[in-house]
Amino acid sequence: NAATSAGSTVSGWSAPVATNIYTCLPGGATVASSTICANYGTPIMYVKVQTSATVSPLLTFRGITSSQPLRGSATFRVPWTP
């Protein structure tokens, strides 16, 4: 919701895509949400949001006159929900 609100005024904005990611260790390999992590219990849950927009350049230069795609992503640790 935050990414959608923040980008709503950007021309060429595409709706962001959110993905849930689970891991037993920060920065570790992804696991299924139903995994029981050794010595930990439930996995750590992250949400990854990917955004994109197509924007026109503020100034035109020779060879750069058309719209350009911009992409970004952010990953946030969130409270685990089954």
Side-chain angles (χ1 to χ4, degrees):
N1 289 340
T4 299
S5 295
S8 64
T9 60
V10 176
S11 177
W13 177 257
S14 296
V17 176
T19 306
N20 291 340
I21 300 170
Y22 301 91
T23 182
C24 287
L25 298 169
T30 59
V31 297
S33 63
S34 59
T35 300
I36 302 298
C37 299
N39 300 321
Y40 188 78
T42 58
I44 302 167
M45 181 179 175
Y46 296 89
V47 173
K48 182 176 183 177
V49 178
Q50 296 177 305
T51 60
S52 64
T54 302
V55 297
S56 298
L58 296 174
L59 302 171
T60 57
F61 296 97
R62 188 175 308 207
I64 305 176
T65 57
S66 62
S67 298
Q68 299 293 313
L70 298 177
R71 292 175 185 36
S73 69
T75 304
F76 301 94
R77 185 173 175 171
V78 296
W80 194 88
T81 54

